[in-house]
Amino acid sequence: MSLWKLLTVAFMVTLVQQINGQALSNKDTLDAAGKVSLSWTTGTDSITFEIQAPTTGYVSLGLSPDGTMLQADMAVGWVIGGKAFLDDRFSAAYEQPSNKERQDYTLISGDRKSVV
C-alpha cells in the first residue's frame, strides 16, 4: 500500500476575499487517475483557487496566454514543518520560473495530510 502526501494550497488572485466556509463553486480533475483536482470560485474582483494533489514536494498553477509554460504567471505552494508557503513566479522560458518582486497572490491556507 503506498502512502501519498496530500498538499492542499488555497490562494487568491489580486484581493483577499472572505470565503466564510463556502465550498468553491467549480471543480475539475486534472489527471487521468483522478488524483489531482483544481477547485475555484470567482468573486467581484478576485478568484480563489484550491489545488489538491498527491506530492512530496510542491504544487503549482500557471496562467498563460496560450496554456503553455511560456509567459506564464505561476503560483507555487509547499508545506514545510506544518507551515504553508506560496510564491508568485513568472516563466519566460521552459525553465525554472523566476521570483517576481511584486507578489500578487495571497495564501489563505495550506496543509499536508497523509492518506493511504
Side-chain angles (χ1 to χ4, degrees):
M1 213 177 265
S2 63
L3 180 67
W4 289 94
K5 300 291 184 182
L6 181 65
L7 178 63
T8 304
V9 178
F11 57 93
M12 294 188 68
V13 177
T14 311
L15 297 175
V16 177
Q17 171 187 327
Q18 186 67 8
I19 299 176
N20 295 327
Q22 294 178 328
L24 301 180
S25 57
N26 304 286
K27 185 173 184 176
D28 200 1
T29 302
L30 303 181
D31 67 325
K35 294 183 178 183
V36 179
S37 67
L38 174 68
S39 301
W40 70 95
T41 193
T42 57
T44 305
D45 50 13
S46 66
I47 304 171
T48 302
F49 293 100
E50 178 182 82
I51 301 170
Q52 293 187 0
T55 180
T56 57
Y58 65 92
V59 294
S60 66
L61 176 67
L63 307 170
S64 72
D66 62 1
T68 68
M69 192 171 172
L70 290 176
Q71 303 299 309
D73 189 20
M74 298 180 169
V76 180
W78 65 97
V79 176
I80 297 176
K83 184 174 180 182
F85 298 89
L86 185 71
D87 200 17
D88 187 358
R89 294 177 174 249
F90 182 77
S91 177
Y94 291 105
E95 56 190 31
Q96 181 175 340
S98 59
N99 288 325
K100 290 172 51 181
E101 271 188 47
R102 183 176 139 180
Q103 296 289 299
D104 297 316
Y105 298 109
T106 302
L107 178 69
I108 297 172
S109 67
D111 63 13
R112 176 182 249 163
K113 299 176 184 166
S114 294
V115 293
V116 179

